Amino acid sequence: MSGTVTAVSSNGEYSFTKPNRSSILLLAGLGVEGDVHAGVTVKHRSRVAQDPTQPNLRQVHLIHEELFTEVGEEGFNVAPGELGENITTSGIDLLGLPVGTLLRIGDEAIVEVTGLRNPCLQIDNFQDGLLKKVVGRDKAGNIVRKAGIMSVVQVGGVVRPGDTITAELPEEPHRPLDRV
């Protein structure tokens, strides 16, 4: 299973959106160099408030560009980086990956998938009504989160638009993604 990086984004300040960059540098065990969410322990404000010593399982946020097309058909205009992701992808089913999947990105970088992004109300502040398009329920009543996946950096390296992403699944039994 493989795909492509279509955009990379980072921001050194707390902000919902992240500007696109020509490249980002992933640092092993930390995240994206210079990004506000980089670090060994949690950086997301709500998680810091709960327990600032928690391990940071949200070092790198990836979203599939196909989501932008899907919500675009509903009248929303979303571009790479605008939902706060660090890496925008194409051609790989991020939401279908199990916990522990290794994503080899570009020449060197490797991230390990930790879980799903839990969309928050800030998405509606960005575009009213968008939250209901990126989180909902399936026919069985289960919550479905579509706003990307979270990961930790196992091996650092530079990531650029156009880089190939290759997924290496963990040994079975696979654990489905849950929010982190």
Side-chain angles (χ1 to χ4, degrees):
M1 184 182 321
S2 65
T4 305
V5 173
T6 60
V8 294
S9 309
S10 67
N11 198 341
E13 299 176 12
Y14 280 103
S15 162
F16 183 69
T17 63
K18 295 185 179 190
N20 295 154
R21 309 286 183 193
S22 59
S23 66
I24 56 174
L25 176 61
L26 302 187
L27 302 171
L30 295 174
V32 179
E33 181 182 55
D35 192 80
V36 71
H37 291 105
V40 174
T41 57
V42 293
K43 301 301 175 197
H44 194 272
R45 288 176 172 168
S46 66
R47 304 206 184 254
V48 169
Q50 290 174 0
D51 178 3
T53 66
Q54 295 176 75
N56 188 2
L57 301 178
R58 301 165 55 101
Q59 294 175 358
V60 181
H61 177 200
L62 298 93
I63 284 185
H64 52 295
E65 189 172 61
E66 293 83 356
L67 177 65
F68 305 156
T69 302
E70 181 183 324
V71 299
E73 292 170 359
E74 302 275 342
F76 295 94
N77 184 19
V78 181
E82 289 187 333
L83 293 183
E85 76 276 11
N86 301 112
I87 300 175
T88 310
T89 69
S90 177
I92 187 167
D93 179 12
L94 296 176
L95 302 178
L97 298 172
V99 171
T101 298
L102 297 179
L103 297 176
R104 298 179 183 280
I105 308 171
D107 294 333
E108 302 171 312
I110 302 173
V111 298
E112 181 178 344
V113 176
T114 56
L116 295 167
R117 175 190 183 186
N118 191 31
C120 64
L121 288 174
Q122 289 186 61
I123 292 176
D124 269 349
N125 294 337
F126 172 66
Q127 288 186 40
D128 190 42
L130 183 57
L131 181 60
K132 287 185 178 180
K133 302 301 176 190
V134 298
V135 64
R137 295 196 180 270
D138 63 16
K139 292 180 182 185
N142 300 309
I143 295 176
V144 177
R145 295 173 177 88
K146 299 180 187 178
I149 63 171
M150 306 309 282
S151 64
V152 295
V153 181
Q154 296 297 327
V155 177
V158 175
V159 177
R160 296 177 179 85
D163 281 350
T164 300
I165 304 168
T166 305
E168 182 180 309
L169 300 178
E171 291 185 23
E172 292 192 23
H174 292 161
R175 288 187 309 139
L177 297 177
D178 198 2
R179 69 184 178 102
V180 292

